[in-house]
Amino acid sequence: MRAEIMTLRTNTALAIFALSLLILQALVLASWITGLAMMLPSWASSTALIVGSRDTPAAHPHAANLGHLICGVNGIAVFLLAGSSAHPWALWLAAPAIAVGVTLMWALRCYHPPAAANSAIPLFTAATMPVYAGTVILGAALLFGAAWAFDRTDRAATA
């Protein structure tokens, strides 16, 4: 019995490793193809949540996708409202931007904690806002596809 449990844990660990690597390498490939820096820290956290905790509501496809889009738009809005002179104040603006993003995700029932970082990233990046927006849209689409595929696989396996 103990050997079966160890085999199951080993297989699960290998599957988590392979799926995480696959998602993150897809983001690297998309970065290479588009010329956009798509490896945002929030994508790594989302990948861990989607692959390792698929049964939690925050790992569902709509939460991952909408959470990143909402917080990305929120971050861009804060950046545009603050203007380019806001950089020295980025730390002061990041906290309320994240608080707004978290509240919006909760209110719209698409709570995905890793996405909250997208509310602050525009305040600390040298990327133009169109490039950042493209990164958020493409990354959210890739994560949505991965979450959707994993969700369907789990449902088929348990049916």
Side-chain angles (χ1 to χ4, degrees):
M1 181 70 166
R2 184 166 171 85
E4 291 173 10
I5 292 172
M6 290 301 293
T7 300
L8 179 61
R9 289 191 53 79
T10 301
N11 290 344
T12 301
L14 289 173
I16 288 172
F17 171 79
L19 294 172
S20 297
L21 185 61
L22 181 66
I23 292 169
L24 295 172
Q25 286 299 96
L27 290 168
V28 170
L29 179 61
S31 296
W32 183 67
I33 291 170
T34 63
L36 302 174
M38 299 206 43
M39 281 302 290
L40 301 176
S42 54
W43 301 143
S45 300
S46 290
T47 299
L49 185 62
I50 289 167
V51 170
S53 300
R54 289 181 293 207
D55 55 341
T56 63
H60 292 174
H62 78 279
N65 193 30
L66 291 176
H68 279 289
L69 292 175
I70 287 166
C71 289
V73 168
N74 177 52
I76 291 170
V78 170
F79 178 87
L80 293 175
L81 287 172
S84 60
S85 62
H87 190 328
W89 296 97
L91 284 175
W92 292 104
L93 295 172
I98 292 169
V100 168
V102 167
T103 304
L104 287 171
M105 285 189 297
W106 178 83
L108 297 172
R109 299 176 189 234
C110 56
Y111 196 72
H112 184 73
N118 289 355
S119 292
I121 290 172
L123 299 169
F124 299 104
T125 185
T128 64
M129 288 307 104
V131 168
Y132 179 71
T135 300
V136 169
I137 291 167
L138 284 171
L142 284 171
L143 286 172
F144 177 80
W148 182 83
F150 296 152
D151 191 44
R152 296 292 174 230
T153 302
D154 274 352
R155 287 184 186 175
T158 57

